[in-house]
Amino acid sequence: MSQKPFYITTPIYYVNDVPHIGHAYTTLACDMAARFARLEGRPVLFVTGTDEHGLKNAKTAQEKGRTPQEHVDLLSENFRHLCTISHISNDDFIRTTQPRHIKAAQAMWKALSDSGHIYLGKYEGWYSTRDEAYYAESEIADGKAISSGSPVEWVEEPSYFFKLSAFGDKLLSFYKANPDFIQPKSRYNEVIKFVESGLRDLSISRTTFNWGVPVPGDEAHIMYVWLDALTNYLTCVGYPDENATAYKTFWPEALHVVGKDILRFHAVYWPAFLMAAGLPLPQGIYAHGWWTKDGQKISKSLGNAIDPLQLYEIYGLDQVRYFLMREVTFGQDGDFSHTAMVSRMNGDLANDYGNLVHRVLSFLDKQLGGVLPALEPLTADDIALLNQAQIMLPHVVALMKQMGLSKVLEEIWSLVGAANRYIDAQKPWGLKVTDPARMGTILAVLVDVIRRIALLTQPIMPDASAQILDMLNVEEHDRLFAAYNTHLSSGTQLRKPICVFKKWEDPDAS
Ligand code: ME8
């Protein structure tokens, strides 16, 4: 049976911000899910990119003496670079200034307009350039948006409107029929409450600046940056060509992963636009929490941004990837601290996983020249550990379906813990003279469990896992989950072990 395709997207980031760990976090979460789905053998499309229109960019470009295009060309590279350095496996990188996207956004506008969902009016109200969002009077206090703290300004201009108010009931029945559409559950409830409180028509064009996608048929207007940006998810599958292979394969299989700050745009506006355009809705929206530093949301405007590249340099890439996904339950907020980072790096990675691999493979190398013994005869203890390893795969597959990313790692580490306890109980080191055959079986059991753990850790720590699988001489095609329940043949020559997870060393300590 062919496997269900998986389309996963990050938000497209505003180029104006220098990438910080908040951006890296969303992209890493999607990378983990995309890599996992590929290992399951599913066709995957994983897309990230940059959101390049809007007043904020136009203003900054002017301040810097650049054209808006020069400005966004320059800054978009920061996000592309972040992907490369973070070993992100994205299949595409979308930029909203690309011709393919302008074509898709204009086609979307036409679909909304042709179906009678757009009318011309005048916008009078509050707008935040920092958030690129319209706010109602009730959402403002002291000249700032209550939710984000961003300054707002009064705007009065002719504007096209989208008849969002006509979609309240349709959205509510859709949410009720698809209770997993918005995750986690607390966010689902939040969105329902918002929609139940009543939807107002949405201003979807601007006339006071021109850095955006021109409105088809009325070039005095440019499209509101969010209508433009949300359409990127369709651009990447070839829209408006609904016969494009990517469209046919991946739409509407999409899962949009976003921070909780932009949930409303994705869970309310986007489905309403799609309904109005007569297009199928994505599979789901997952809103994760915020990283904070000392309790404050990390962002450039607050001046407390943490540079992911610097973290990779200090702690190592796979260590940071692991930490970010493990430390905080996916969906909740988390506070970044050096102490927590070092504790994961030294505890979970160096002591638990690293040591397991190193002591088993070094001992095997020393005692048996790295030649893998037979996985028999098995005792009840051996079978118990092997069974635990075997059921781990269906277990984590089920957790991944809910985007339980931190939970997946927690579960894999329960197997790491079980393997370490098994060594302590079986004491293979003591058997080399008294019972070398038994020692061999214990080592074969451990190698098999390490192989499975390394298969499972590939999505989160691709490099470290590859090093471990290399040491075990696992063939490339046996690194897919389809090979999870196979075994390495006895007699396989393992490679010389190397240390994969280093401990944190304080550079100031002498
Ligand atoms: O909103 N903690 O772009 P953006 C966790 N262009 N995640 C964080 C974070 C933090 N402290 N700070 C940022 C936009 N993020 C629009 C999106 S999509 C059609 C258009 C992540 O550059 C998180 O995913 O402001 C958040 O939703 C996103 O960056 C916002 O990125």
Side-chain angles (χ1 to χ4, degrees):
M1 199 182 75
S2 68
Q3 297 254 38
K4 196 171 157 59
F6 184 55
Y7 177 24
I8 185 159
T9 67
T10 75
I12 47 170
Y13 303 107
Y14 289 131
V15 284
N16 236 15
D17 251 359
V18 175
H20 56 69
I21 62 158
H23 306 117
Y25 182 60
T26 318
T27 309
L28 277 172
C30 293
D31 190 51
M32 179 173 166
R35 286 177 183 272
F36 194 94
R38 287 192 201 102
L39 290 170
E40 288 181 276
R42 297 171 67 180
V44 171
L45 178 64
F46 165 27
V47 180
T48 185
T50 44
D51 188 354
E52 306 187 354
H53 291 126
L55 184 54
K56 196 158 42 178
N57 286 324
K59 276 185 175 167
T60 322
Q62 198 176 22
E63 281 161 25
K64 304 255 179 199
R66 303 179 188 135
T67 66
Q69 189 65 55
E70 282 167 356
H71 181 66
V72 298
D73 284 349
L74 204 69
L75 296 193
S76 176
E77 276 311 308
N78 293 335
F79 286 88
R80 212 187 271 274
H81 183 61
L82 177 67
C83 285
T84 311
I85 294 281
S86 311
H87 292 185
I88 299 300
S89 64
N90 55 305
D91 301 293
D92 195 355
F93 189 95
I94 171 100
R95 299 182 53 194
T96 54
T97 50
Q98 289 166 339
R100 60 171 174 161
H101 176 69
I102 293 168
K103 182 171 153 200
Q106 290 185 326
M108 182 58 152
W109 181 284
K110 275 198 91 288
L112 299 180
S113 167
D114 291 350
S115 56
H117 292 97
I118 293 182
Y119 63 92
L120 186 60
K122 184 177 175 198
Y123 181 75
E124 286 179 322
W126 298 107
Y127 190 78
S128 157
T129 305
R130 192 198 282 168
D131 302 343
E132 299 285 11
Y134 297 97
Y135 288 107
E137 198 66 53
S138 57
E139 295 173 306
I140 306 292
D142 301 328
K144 287 183 178 155
I146 299 167
S147 56
S148 62
S150 301
V152 291
E153 54 186 337
W154 185 258
V155 173
E156 282 189 24
E157 59 179 330
S159 171
Y160 284 98
F161 284 82
F162 170 68
K163 289 185 187 166
L164 183 62
S165 60
F167 286 89
D169 290 344
K170 286 184 196 125
L171 285 169
L172 288 170
S173 23
F174 178 80
Y175 302 145
K176 298 220 164 103
N178 297 278
D180 291 335
F181 181 66
I182 301 161
Q183 295 202 64
K185 200 76 199 162
S186 56
R187 303 283 164 221
Y188 173 83
N189 295 332
E190 198 180 293
V191 169
I192 295 213
K193 229 160 103 192
F194 172 73
V195 176
E196 277 175 347
S197 73
L199 296 175
R200 291 177 310 135
D201 288 349
L202 182 71
S203 163
I204 51 165
S205 75
R206 307 289 313 261
T207 51
T208 45
F209 65 99
N210 64 3
W211 183 238
V213 178
V215 165
D218 188 352
E219 305 229 334
H221 291 252
I222 53 157
M223 283 169 62
Y224 172 41
V225 68
W226 270 100
L227 172 55
D228 156 359
L230 286 162
T231 309
N232 95 82
Y233 301 131
L234 284 174
T235 308
C236 295
V237 288
Y239 181 81
D241 179 3
E242 292 178 33
N243 287 317
T245 311
Y247 186 94
K248 291 209 294 210
T249 313
F250 292 109
W251 196 262
E253 299 300 337
L255 173 67
H256 302 309
V257 179
V258 299
K260 64 181 182 182
D261 48 331
I262 54 173
L263 177 61
R264 190 184 296 183
F265 298 95
H266 284 82
V268 181
Y269 300 171
W270 180 228
F273 293 151
L274 290 167
M275 284 175 176
L279 293 167
L281 270 54
Q283 294 298 300
I285 316 290
Y286 196 104
H288 65 67
W290 282 345
W291 278 93
T292 56
K293 179 92 181 82
D294 308 318
Q296 281 219 305
K297 184 182 179 226
I298 291 170
S299 79
K300 188 178 124 189
S301 25
L302 294 172
N304 60 355
I306 297 175
D307 177 0
L309 308 189
Q310 222 172 357
L311 290 188
Y312 303 157
E313 246 168 59
I314 300 173
Y315 305 109
L317 172 62
D318 276 350
Q319 282 80 353
V320 175
R321 286 178 59 112
Y322 174 79
F323 170 78
L324 289 176
M325 286 306 127
R326 173 66 196 270
E327 184 64 10
V328 179
T329 304
F330 199 59
Q332 317 248 299
D333 294 344
D335 202 54
F336 184 87
S337 82
H338 170 74
T339 316
M341 173 76 229
V342 169
S343 150
R344 291 284 177 201
M345 178 173 170
N346 288 357
D348 298 10
L349 297 182
N351 285 348
D352 298 343
Y353 190 13
N355 223 0
L356 167 69
V357 174
H358 201 68
R359 57 183 176 153
V360 170
L361 298 190
S362 306
F363 186 65
L364 210 154
D365 184 58
K366 217 158 136 205
Q367 298 306 324
L368 304 172
V371 177
L372 187 66
L375 194 58
E376 57 184 15
L378 296 173
T379 67
D381 287 344
D382 304 345
I383 292 168
L385 182 66
L386 290 169
N387 281 349
Q388 193 179 342
Q390 186 164 342
I391 57 167
M392 191 52 72
L393 178 63
H395 188 49
V396 298
V397 166
L399 287 170
M400 278 307 287
K401 283 211 175 92
Q402 313 294 323
M403 284 296 274
L405 305 181
S406 46
K407 193 87 185 115
V408 162
L409 297 177
E410 216 176 284
E411 292 298 315
I412 300 171
W413 258 256
S414 72
L415 183 58
V416 171
N420 276 321
R421 284 193 300 279
Y422 170 88
I423 300 185
D424 295 341
Q426 301 296 325
K427 301 185 176 40
W429 342 118
L431 297 173
K432 60 184 177 202
V433 177
T434 52
D435 194 348
R438 176 65 195 144
M439 177 193 81
T441 310
I442 296 168
L443 293 175
V445 168
L446 284 164
V447 165
D448 195 49
V449 173
I450 290 170
R451 179 187 62 87
R452 296 194 210 213
I453 295 170
L455 291 180
L456 294 173
T457 56
Q458 291 177 97
I460 187 65
M461 296 187 290
D463 298 341
S465 310
Q467 281 182 325
I468 296 169
L469 293 167
D470 285 348
M471 287 190 266
L472 301 184
N473 250 329
V474 175
E475 302 276 354
E476 218 39 65
H477 57 84
D478 286 336
R479 297 183 185 197
L480 294 175
F481 290 157
Y484 190 76
N485 288 331
T486 60
H487 302 289
L488 288 170
S489 321
S490 63
T492 300
Q493 176 65 55
L494 308 186
R495 298 201 199 152
K496 281 268 170 222
I498 51 165
C499 171
V500 179
F501 298 108
K502 294 196 176 58
K503 275 206 172 180
W504 163 260
E505 275 167 35
D506 191 342
D508 295 332
S510 51

